[in-house]
Amino acid sequence: SSKSPQVEEVDKEYDFINFATVLKKTKGALDTLEALAIVKKQYPDVKLNLSGSIEGSGIEKKDFDEMIEKYGLQDNVSFTPYHKTQKDLFQHIKKARFAVLPVYFDVIPGTLRQAMYYELPVVTYATYGTPTINKDKERILIAERGNVEQLAEKMLQLLNNPMKAEELRNKAKE
């Protein structure tokens, strides 16, 4: 939107980012970790940044740590605390090549629109509103809600097909 702050281009540090004010289960943070474990089988060095507060998420830091340990993702996952300003957050998401935002309930999540505005190809779950984004052309990759294997497949599509990722980047900005 016209209110979105201008941010600078920065070097990419992460393949994927999952961001929210609070990293709740309904924002797909744990699903993203599980999907990353599948992606890691093909891309051992894949990087994910989880950006947001764990405080008040209903998920303990130890739950994240146990899952990271279980899937051997210690070298693949980093956490960034909640950003104090929107501009700081938007500057931060530009460090990622792609956004993975498997939300469960939002009609069309604000994070999804923000990622599209800043030209990050997006992988998300089908919610009530997300399929309408692709009504006339594919702009985002949509997995069935709760289907972690399909989420991982969509993430792999972006990694395996740079032309497709570029196409989505261009269509998202529209």
Side-chain angles (χ1 to χ4, degrees):
S1 75
S2 58
K3 291 182 185 145
S4 295
Q6 290 301 302
V7 296
E8 300 163 30
E9 283 302 321
V10 291
D11 290 338
K12 303 298 185 196
E13 293 178 31
Y14 319 111
D15 297 297
F16 294 96
I17 189 164
N18 176 307
F19 64 101
T21 305
V22 179
L23 295 169
K24 300 177 181 174
K25 275 189 174 145
T26 58
K27 297 292 181 184
L30 296 178
D31 288 10
T32 300
L33 284 177
E34 212 176 315
L36 190 73
I38 297 167
V39 170
K40 183 182 173 167
K41 292 173 186 165
Q42 278 184 46
Y43 291 91
D45 297 328
V46 66
K47 297 281 184 247
L48 166 69
N49 180 253
L50 291 170
S51 181
S53 177
I54 294 174
E55 194 96 357
S57 69
I59 308 170
E60 299 293 320
K61 177 72 168 93
K62 73 172 181 52
D63 297 330
F64 282 107
D65 293 342
E66 285 170 6
M67 199 165 192
I68 288 167
E69 174 112 4
K70 174 183 173 183
Y71 292 119
L73 299 172
Q74 296 87 332
D75 297 333
N76 306 90
V77 178
S78 60
F79 288 88
T80 302
Y82 176 67
H83 291 273
K84 289 184 180 24
T85 70
Q86 257 197 334
K87 184 169 182 168
D88 289 345
L89 169 65
F90 297 149
Q91 188 64 61
H92 181 72
I93 70 172
K94 290 293 284 183
K95 293 179 181 179
R97 293 169 55 204
F98 314 115
V100 58
L101 302 166
V103 295
Y104 275 78
F105 298 114
D106 301 2
V107 176
I108 297 178
T111 50
L112 194 143
R113 289 193 301 266
Q114 290 157 345
M116 290 173 73
Y117 179 82
Y118 289 108
E119 299 180 29
L120 271 70
V122 175
V123 177
T124 190
Y125 279 156
T127 62
Y128 181 72
T130 50
T132 62
I133 295 171
N134 286 348
K135 194 172 62 205
D136 54 351
K137 62 178 108 165
E138 188 175 50
R139 291 185 174 88
I140 59 176
L141 297 179
I142 303 174
E144 183 184 307
R145 196 170 11 187
N147 187 332
V148 172
E149 290 78 18
Q150 207 176 70
L151 188 66
E153 281 170 30
K154 303 291 182 186
M155 292 166 74
L156 284 165
Q157 271 184 36
L158 293 174
L159 292 169
N160 291 335
N161 192 340
M163 284 174 60
K164 171 110 177 151
E166 191 56 32
E167 203 178 288
L168 290 171
R169 185 181 326 290
N170 294 331
K171 288 177 185 172
K173 182 69 180 193
E174 287 173 14

